[in-house]
Amino acid sequence: MNKFFFIGLSIAITAFIAANALLMFGEKSIISKNIYVSEYERAYPNTYIEKLPKEAVAAPRDTMQIYVQEREAIEQWVVSEGDVVQAGSELALLNEVESQEQRTLWESEQRALEAEKSEVQNTLRELESAQSKQSGSESESASDRSSVTNEDGDTIEFNVDLSVGVEVPQDGSYATGIAQANQRLAAIDSQLAVIDAQLSQSLSNPALVSPVEGIVAKVNRDSNPLSVEIYSTEKTFMTYVLEDEWQDVAAQDRVLIQAEGLEAAVPGTVLSVSEIPAEDSRWLKAYRALDPKEQANPIAFYEVQILADEPITENIPFGSTANAEITINEAVDAVAIPQPWIFDRQDTNGSTYVLNEEGYGPVAPVTINFDVNGKAVLSDGVGVGAIVLKDDSLREYKSAPKVFMPFPSEQPNYEFAKNTNWRKYIEYLLAR
């Protein structure tokens, strides 16, 4: 009798303890729990920089093309490839008789360029006016006629002249059209400078002259139109970004440039990032040889021009190799945590655990600015001085558990200890 009584009592006590254990420590228990977390980190502000390393090639900042339509107009070439010329230097002597026809061609081209310049300027003014009066409702027709309603309720319509190479994008943003117009104006001014320099020559001793200071890169003596290509003495560095890198690089990004011939790395700036796939050129061929990468889209190479802060005119030949580090992201006084400490991440959003003042570890939504060196740099979610927790077991609880952590320890610096006299240790121990 006593035997069965004690067996039944043992079973009842065991069941009672098990039931209470489930109620107290089960997932649905409302009783707070203390969880040991071995990994944690205090968030300190720091400066984080993400860089994009690229191979680059030294190239001229500007290239000037000077054409002669009539072969008979050239009497004698006086320059060769590699010659340094000044503004006004003679490139070729012209035949006095034949040069008059060439002069007529230059005058015709000058009038055409001036007319085109006037059209582009008008288009630019219309684009800028429409942009400034934009009230949010815009439309475009298939005939490239744009309209915008100003503050007085009047509708302004204008045509974009595609013959001058300026277009307004379908999304109604005028920034691209304005940028294209400004680029075209700069190109026209460059062409006019060449023609003006030729037309200013004496009729008695006509010559083909250089409108700028530079280096003769190529002389085309054989096929019409004859031409001379002149590189500016100031150099830029040419590189290319792929399709997945294009979004990361923008004009005015800071760059660090290293090249043979420079005493040290020099700072620079991204001068331009092309939206158009790069044409096949010697610079693109050199880049693809320096940084061969296979990609599905063979034309998705976009030209990036980098300009050093201080002009580089010597010590580096055109076509020489350089290394460029483009700063694509920078955060000052920002908080960063290890990437694995963020869970449920979707693009720039995710979650982590942060210790609160009551000693609990609730979920904290975070916004990620960018990733660098295995860390996620945050723009929101974790404040300076907060303690971030890492423990997969925290995810097993529906409500935030109370946590306790190991006491922080500080490892002695070996170099500091090695260079400290033993008397300092004695004084420190006695002072305690």
Side-chain angles (χ1 to χ4, degrees):
M1 181 70 179
N2 290 337
K3 178 180 177 181
F4 291 106
F5 173 77
F6 283 112
I7 292 175
L9 181 62
S10 299
I11 293 173
I13 293 173
T14 302
F16 177 77
I17 294 174
N20 277 275
L22 289 173
L23 291 172
M24 292 180 64
F25 302 109
E27 291 185 4
K28 297 182 179 180
S29 174
I30 61 172
I31 299 174
S32 63
K33 308 167 186 65
N34 291 345
I35 303 299
Y36 176 75
V37 175
S38 60
E39 290 186 82
Y40 65 95
E41 187 175 290
R42 187 177 293 275
Y44 289 104
N46 204 344
T47 297
Y48 296 92
I49 299 175
E50 184 182 8
K51 295 183 177 180
L52 178 65
K54 300 295 294 184
E55 298 287 346
V57 180
R61 179 171 183 178
D62 297 301
T63 301
M64 184 75 70
Q65 293 278 0
I66 304 167
Y67 293 97
V68 177
Q69 300 295 333
E70 297 296 330
R71 179 189 297 270
E72 292 75 12
I74 298 292
E75 185 173 283
Q76 179 185 353
W77 291 99
V78 295
V79 294
S80 300
E81 286 82 354
D83 288 350
V84 177
V85 294
Q86 304 297 322
S89 295
E90 292 183 349
L91 304 175
L93 301 179
L94 300 179
N95 186 309
E96 186 174 345
V97 177
E98 300 292 340
S99 65
Q100 184 58 45
E101 186 174 345
Q102 176 62 52
R103 187 179 182 88
T104 302
L105 291 174
W106 279 329
E107 289 173 345
S108 299
E109 188 175 356
Q110 182 186 48
R111 289 192 295 271
L113 286 171
E114 288 174 345
E116 182 182 358
K117 181 177 180 179
S118 178
E119 290 180 11
V120 176
Q121 287 174 332
N122 289 336
T123 301
L124 178 61
R125 282 192 292 269
E126 290 172 337
L127 289 171
E128 290 174 337
S129 175
Q131 185 185 46
S132 65
K133 296 175 181 178
Q134 185 176 3
S135 60
S137 59
E138 303 150 4
S139 63
E140 283 195 4
S141 68
S143 62
D144 293 292
R145 173 172 292 275
S146 299
S147 65
V148 63
T149 304
N150 62 18
E151 296 175 354
D152 299 326
D154 300 325
T155 299
I156 301 173
E157 294 189 352
F158 57 90
N159 285 320
V160 179
D161 188 355
L162 300 182
S163 65
V164 298
V166 179
E167 300 180 8
V168 176
Q170 294 293 327
D171 62 3
S173 171
Y174 295 92
T176 301
I178 291 171
Q180 290 177 353
N182 284 320
Q183 289 176 357
R184 184 57 191 149
L185 284 176
I188 292 172
D189 287 337
S190 177
Q191 291 174 277
L192 284 173
V194 174
I195 294 173
D196 291 342
Q198 310 313 322
L199 293 177
S200 64
Q201 294 303 297
S202 170
L203 293 176
S204 59
N205 295 300
L208 188 70
V209 299
S210 172
V212 294
E213 176 186 357
I215 300 171
V216 177
K218 184 179 180 181
V219 180
N220 175 25
R221 303 175 176 84
D222 302 321
S223 57
N224 284 333
L226 307 184
S227 63
V228 181
E229 186 176 16
I230 298 177
Y231 288 170
S232 63
T233 54
E234 187 177 357
K235 298 177 179 70
T236 61
F237 294 91
M238 195 85 73
T239 188
Y240 297 84
V241 292
L242 306 182
E243 191 172 4
D244 59 340
E245 298 170 332
W246 189 89
Q247 300 288 348
D248 297 328
V249 181
Q252 303 304 315
D253 281 350
R254 299 299 301 159
V255 187
L256 196 63
I257 308 160
Q258 293 179 312
E260 191 71 30
L262 297 176
E263 294 182 0
V266 298
T269 305
V270 172
L271 192 63
S272 64
V273 182
S274 176
E275 295 185 25
I276 302 171
E279 295 182 0
D280 194 17
S281 67
R282 61 176 67 180
W283 317 114
L284 179 56
K285 289 178 181 177
Y287 172 80
R288 297 187 72 166
L290 292 169
D291 189 16
K293 287 183 179 178
E294 293 294 332
Q295 59 175 356
N297 188 346
I299 67 169
F301 289 85
Y302 302 91
E303 181 182 289
V304 176
Q305 280 194 327
I306 300 169
L307 184 65
D309 289 350
E310 296 294 330
I312 296 177
T313 57
E314 300 176 351
N315 300 329
I316 298 180
F318 292 112
S320 60
T321 305
N323 295 316
E325 282 190 340
I326 305 174
T327 299
I328 58 176
N329 277 308
E330 184 174 5
V332 180
D333 293 335
V335 168
I337 62 176
Q339 289 174 342
W341 293 26
I342 297 177
F343 58 92
D344 294 341
R345 179 168 179 176
Q346 295 182 352
D347 196 15
T348 59
N349 297 312
S351 300
T352 191
Y353 292 102
V354 177
L355 186 69
N356 63 20
E357 294 180 355
E358 289 75 28
Y360 292 89
V363 174
V366 295
T367 303
I368 300 99
N369 193 351
F370 58 91
D371 298 303
V372 60
N373 299 328
K375 286 197 168 186
V377 182
L378 308 180
S379 58
D380 190 29
V382 177
V384 174
I387 295 178
V388 184
L389 310 173
K390 168 63 170 68
D391 196 315
D392 292 337
S393 63
L394 291 171
R395 301 190 66 181
E396 299 176 3
Y397 299 92
K398 292 186 177 180
S399 59
K402 201 165 188 177
V403 301
F404 63 99
M405 303 168 294
F407 192 78
S409 61
E410 191 170 323
Q411 296 288 339
N413 185 290
Y414 176 74
E415 291 297 327
F416 176 77
K418 186 175 68 173
N419 296 321
T420 302
N421 188 277
W422 64 271
R423 293 179 183 275
K424 298 291 184 182
Y425 290 109
I426 303 297
E427 291 174 3
Y428 172 74
L429 291 173
L430 294 176
R432 296 182 68 185

